Amino acid sequence: MRHVLSILVENEPGVLSRVVGLFSGRGFNIESLNVGPTLENGVSHITICTSGEEQIIEQIMKQLHKLITVIKVVDLTHLQAVEREIVLMKVGAEDSKRAEVLRIADIFRCKVVDVSPDELTLEITGDQGKIKAVVALLQRFGVKEFIRAGTVAMRRSMQLAD
């Protein structure tokens, strides 16, 4: 099962390696990892996407709580949350196909961030489903380069009953 963990940590040297070490020590792969500062000075936010059994994820979360530099750990898997990823994708867009590439980009609200005579570089932001759909539609034009940043996620303010 896919899990998205949201972790607040004190921004100190070695914190990331200790957090990641808990996953590798149990043989778990991290599918995506995103780290960035928060508005609070000296505090960073880590978002980790991984797959695994509930019991193992619970063990990892308990171990994370024991780390002195960890402030808060939340498994967003069963909570209502907003998830986003960003992709930069360079797509073949010769004159005859440029209009179609731009139409697809417009439908999915992608931004054109660079243009050359035979390529367009698009910025795609959204959840995994949107990213997958856009990539699938644009593959036939030839993807020249593809960079995908890890998931960032935040718990929704209002948790509605399912």
Side-chain angles (χ1 to χ4, degrees):
M1 178 176 198
R2 180 176 180 266
H3 289 268
V4 179
L5 302 181
S6 175
I7 308 165
L8 282 179
V9 297
E10 294 175 17
N11 191 359
E12 295 178 3
V15 171
L16 184 58
S17 66
R18 288 193 296 275
V19 169
V20 170
L22 290 174
F23 285 83
S24 63
R26 287 176 171 67
F28 269 89
N29 186 39
I30 293 176
E31 294 169 8
S32 78
L33 172 68
N34 196 302
V35 183
T38 64
L39 292 176
E40 189 176 335
N41 199 17
V43 176
S44 291
H45 184 264
I46 301 172
T47 306
I48 295 178
C49 292
T50 188
S51 294
E53 297 175 20
E54 293 279 338
Q55 308 94 314
I56 304 295
I57 298 298
E58 285 179 31
Q59 286 178 347
I60 290 172
M61 288 180 60
K62 287 177 185 174
Q63 293 296 317
L64 285 169
H65 280 294
K66 290 180 183 178
L67 294 177
I68 295 170
T69 52
V70 172
I71 299 166
K72 185 177 183 180
V73 181
V74 178
D75 185 352
L76 298 174
T77 306
H78 302 297
L79 300 174
Q80 293 180 4
V82 177
E83 281 186 43
R84 293 292 181 266
E85 288 188 49
I86 186 169
V87 168
L88 292 177
M89 186 164 75
K90 198 176 287 183
V91 181
E94 296 80 25
D95 288 336
S96 62
K97 298 179 180 171
R98 187 171 296 249
E100 192 173 357
V101 171
L102 287 170
R103 241 188 330 273
I104 292 169
D106 186 50
I107 289 168
F108 285 94
R109 296 187 188 108
C110 303
K111 290 182 186 174
V112 177
V113 294
D114 192 37
V115 178
S116 76
D118 58 347
E119 296 174 341
L120 293 174
T121 302
L122 303 175
E123 174 188 306
I124 309 160
T125 306
D127 61 21
Q128 285 188 329
K130 176 182 176 180
I131 303 277
K132 188 176 182 179
V134 175
V135 170
L137 285 171
L138 292 173
Q139 290 236 319
R140 63 189 164 113
F141 300 102
V143 176
K144 311 286 184 175
E145 201 171 338
F146 183 86
I147 299 171
R148 187 174 193 161
T151 297
V152 292
M154 181 182 287
R155 184 177 178 174
R156 288 193 181 273
S157 298
M158 291 182 58
Q159 293 291 306
L160 302 174
D162 290 333

